Amino acid sequence: RNPTDMAHHAIIILLLPLCVVGYNNNITQRLCSVACQRGLREANKHGLRWNITVGDCNFCYDLPEHLSSSMGVRPGCLQAYDRWVTNFVQANDPSLYEAEFSSANVVASLSVSAMSFLKTYTGADTGDFLKIGNSVIKDYGNYDACGLVNGAQYCTTSFVRSPIKYGPFSSCAPSECTPEDVTILWELAANLTGLATMRSGTEASKALGGTILLLPSIAPFESECGNKNYDYTAGSYVMITLVCTFGGIVALATVWKLYRTQQERNQTVKFALINQSEAKEDEDGTTQPHQQEPEPPAKGMLLKIFEGFSLSATLNEVTRTRENAPTAALDGIRVFSMMWVVFGHTLLWPLQATGYKNSGVLIPFNDKAVMATWTGQVVQSAEFSVDTFFFMSGFLASYIALKKMRGSTPLKVVKSTPGMYLHRYLRISPLYFIIVWFYYEVVPLTASSPNFDLTEEREFCKSNAWKVVLYIQDFWPKDGERCYGVSWYLSDDMIFFWFTPFLLAIFFWNKILGYLAPICIAIASIGYSWWAAHHYKWRAGTFDGSEYMPDYYVPPWTRCPPYLIGIVFGYFYRDWKEKKWSLPSTGHLAWLADCVILGVSLIIMGGCVYGSHSDAQEIPGTMKDSEAYAYVALSKPAWSISLALLSFLCFEMRTPLLAKFLSLPFFQYVSKLTFAMYLLHPLVLSVYFFNKVDAVRYTNVNFTIDYLGILFFTTALAFVTHLIIELPLSTAEKVLLSRLIGGIKHARHEQHETKMANKDYDAADEAKILKEPL
């Protein structure tokens, strides 16, 4: 007649009504009796034998006072459970069974979580299933079925001990219950299950039962109920209005441009007909002066900006290609790198949402897991795509700057720095800020799942917006990915650009020092990374649990080598073109040189992608520590060097098939969308995966369909965004800067004229004024 024994039997099939019985005497004893009898039948079915009969369920009528005292569950919640049971007994209402069907298996959830916890902290052997770890220990029940239960709501409970999280586990509870009520009921369930498990008396059962009893204190329970509902905010209305305004301006500008174009055509035809008529009169002997078509009036600044929004202007820009540009192969490299980014994130994004049902198929607890295979290694190596972007950014910054600043002095380069900063900021920031703002203010309105939760992330962004606006969030590496995860890359890239003018100034001052400065900085960064990897035990394995991501992957002082290598390659290739250096172009020597360069490039790339393959066979990885630390420090610089070698071959048409393929017009079109694609793909992934109500099941077919769908939708959305926001704002930036520079020129000209009028100048002073860099 031990109430705890009775509780254990009943909890097997129906947890929540039992908890109500055990901790509140305001509901009918019938609820307890029904739960007790059903629990006994289920216990017998599972082979559990206790010295209790159905008649003993009468203990419900004389529960000890200390068990009937409330633990804080609201009376409305208890009465709702009582109503479910009453309706079932009197009217055969199925709500009780429907709620049970829609909920997680409570005893199994608690027991498995405790077993995994024991394995994590004691290293005990708990079988193959638990080797998968806490990532698979969750039970979402049946969200849609719970939604159909009369008077029910879907709740989830998780057991959290950072960085480990067990759950969520679902409960289909009455709508009257609060998340706090559900948490209390789960805590009671842990107490009852732990006590019952310990009754076996063995050391193993005592360890497991004791762990279950302690779960609420060592891994506090957290419950949530219902969908995440986000209300319209002032920011939501502003963003919706802003996007609609962009669309409206584009429509008006397109109509206006068509009207103006038609007007100009009509005028051209008109004067052509007049001149044709005059030509006929000339043939008749009558001489008439030919009328010249008047020049169209000069466009003002606002009109230029307005017409920049027209689809005719933006579509012309998108479809414009560069003929015979030596660096056109970078367009193909950029597109494939963007595809690689989306590829990796499509596989990893569910881990931030509902997770995978079959995590063991992915996570390398054995050599058959996807991530342990040679093809699966490409997923983890997708981070090299970001190094490709860093490399190209550094290369283009130096290569283009040397062309535009040819003949400049170091002082002129330094004086041009504010203009470079302003152009860079205005070119990147508007689209970036609009998309991030849209993500946090409008995208949450699409939430239709209990797993769609951007509240914490959104609040962090609001309180740290000044870091994002100034691109300095990566100076706090652990915060770099907390506000729109992929924005850390933009912060690093902007920080690298801050130092580029000064590196260029050194190059114009002394070419040798210009080469040595970025090389020495890169070597210093690599040396620090190598030391820190050893000191802090960094490992590149996705599931190794080291501080590799926040402490190495994000900070600019560890990620700068690819950018610096790109700058050096830009110096080199500009010198190569200007000094007309060349490799042998015919004969065996040319073939040998091409093969050596291509072979070295591919070998280095292969070493970077598959260099950590042995570390991906198990968790934690088995690669020697010294090798793992070297891989962390050297792999990304090595990747950039191999990319420089491959780019050189393409630029020089030493690999014509590859160079022509990467330079195809298709890649030139799509490469213009990659900035918008990079910013938008997290939005698409979040809307798709965060609105799921159950864990994702991985198969190659499912993943391929998801990847291609997300890639296509991201590209389409980027195309629209590029047309109506990015290109028009880029045009506006060019017009405004041109006006600003024109104003500076005009002011300097007036200064020059004033000095001439006052005879207060000499030749050297005049030259200084006229040649002052803008």
Side-chain angles (χ1 to χ4, degrees), residues 86 143 145 186 199 206 227 260 412 451 492 532 562 624 638:
T86 301
Y143 168 83
W186 272 87
R199 278 188 59 87
K206 289 180 181 178
N227 289 339
R260 281 289 301 268
K412 288 181 180 179
N451 304 303
D492 271 0
K624 293 180 180 178

Side-chain angles (χ1 to χ4, degrees), residues 405-416:
M405 297 180 176
R406 186 182 289 110
S408 294
T409 64
L411 183 59
K412 288 181 180 179
V413 175
V414 173
K415 286 184 176 180
S416 67

Side-chain angles (χ1 to χ4, degrees), residues 56-109:
D56 292 325
C57 287
N58 291 328
F59 85 92
C60 293
Y61 295 96
D62 57 355
L63 282 173
E65 186 63 25
H66 70 276
L67 283 180
S68 63
S69 61
S70 174
M71 288 186 64
V73 180
R74 296 170 62 253
C77 178
L78 306 177
Q79 292 164 6
Y81 276 114
D82 184 31
R83 184 174 64 251
W84 273 0
V85 174
T86 301
N87 291 342
F88 166 69
V89 173
Q90 295 181 355
N92 202 25
D93 185 293
S95 298
L96 189 64
Y97 286 99
E98 290 172 342
E100 176 192 335
F101 173 80
S102 305
S103 301
N105 185 317
V106 178
V107 174
S109 299

Side-chain angles (χ1 to χ4, degrees), residues 325-604:
T327 60
L330 291 180
D331 292 325
I333 294 174
R334 184 180 290 109
V335 171
F336 281 111
S337 296
M338 189 64 244
M339 293 172 64
W340 203 3
V341 169
V342 178
F343 180 84
H345 284 168
T346 301
L347 189 71
L348 297 178
W349 220 262
L351 296 176
Q352 305 178 47
T354 56
Y356 285 97
K357 291 181 179 179
N358 53 341
S359 298
V361 173
L362 287 172
I363 303 174
F365 292 100
N366 58 68
D367 57 4
K368 295 180 181 179
V370 171
M371 298 292 279
T373 63
W374 289 97
T375 52
Q377 193 69 25
V378 176
V379 177
Q380 180 166 302
S381 298
E383 59 188 48
F384 289 116
S385 59
V386 179
D387 297 288
T388 301
F389 289 133
F390 282 143
F391 167 80
M392 289 191 294
S393 182
F395 167 75
L396 293 173
S398 62
Y399 182 74
I400 295 174
L402 292 182
K403 179 180 179 180
K404 291 185 175 181
M405 297 180 176
R406 186 182 289 110
S408 294
T409 64
L411 183 59
K412 288 181 180 179
V413 175
V414 173
K415 286 184 176 180
S416 67
T417 298
M420 295 172 66
Y421 287 169
L422 181 62
H423 168 67
R424 179 80 167 190
Y425 190 90
L426 293 179
R427 174 65 184 87
I428 292 175
S429 300
L431 182 65
Y432 168 34
F433 296 159
I434 288 172
I435 289 177
V436 172
W437 195 359
F438 186 89
Y439 180 74
Y440 289 116
E441 295 293 349
V442 179
V443 169
L445 301 177
T446 68
S448 60
S449 159
N451 304 303
F452 198 118
D453 188 3
L454 293 178
T455 303
E456 182 178 346
E457 190 177 336
R458 183 166 66 172
E459 291 304 314
F460 178 85
C461 275
K462 287 182 178 179
S463 60
N464 292 271
W466 63 277
K467 296 179 184 177
V468 177
V469 171
L470 296 176
Y471 292 89
I472 59 174
Q473 67 262 39
D474 287 352
F475 287 123
W476 293 264
K478 294 187 185 302
D479 293 344
E481 295 182 289
R482 293 184 63 188
C483 178
Y484 206 64
V486 300
S487 66
W488 72 269
Y489 162 79
L490 298 175
S491 174
D492 271 0
D493 194 60
M494 182 64 80
I495 292 169
F496 300 156
F497 187 79
W498 290 347
F499 296 95
T500 300
F502 301 101
L503 294 175
L504 291 170
I506 295 173
F507 184 84
F508 281 109
W509 176 52
N510 184 294
K511 185 171 289 190
I512 295 177
L513 290 179
Y515 274 99
L516 288 178
I519 292 174
C520 290
I521 296 173
I523 291 174
S525 173
I526 294 169
Y528 166 77
S529 297
W530 206 331
W531 170 84
H534 180 271
H535 185 75
Y536 297 109
K537 311 300 181 187
W538 293 342
R539 301 183 76 94
T542 303
F543 304 101
D544 274 347
S546 72
E547 295 298 307
Y548 166 82
M549 288 299 292
D551 292 346
Y552 173 82
Y553 192 75
V554 172
W557 51 86
T558 55
R559 295 308 304 273
C560 61
Y563 186 91
L564 296 169
I565 291 169
I567 284 182
V568 173
F569 181 58
Y571 293 163
F572 166 78
Y573 194 63
R574 178 58 65 186
D575 282 344
W576 179 276
K577 300 297 288 183
E578 290 183 351
K579 296 181 180 180
K580 299 186 178 187
W581 294 336
S582 63
L583 292 174
S585 57
T586 59
H588 295 294
L589 192 58
W591 180 83
L592 179 62
D594 295 343
C595 287
V596 169
I597 296 174
L598 181 61
V600 170
S601 174
L602 295 179
I603 289 172
I604 295 175

Side-chain angles (χ1 to χ4, degrees), residues 328-330 332-333 336 598 601-602 605 643 645-651 653-664 667:
L330 291 180
I333 294 174
F336 281 111
L598 181 61
S601 174
L602 295 179
M605 284 186 173
L643 200 60
L645 294 174
L646 185 64
S647 300
F648 174 78
L649 291 176
C650 292
F651 295 169
M653 295 300 289
R654 310 289 297 196
T655 52
L657 290 178
L658 179 61
K660 290 179 180 179
F661 172 72
L662 293 175
S663 304
L664 287 173
F667 292 124

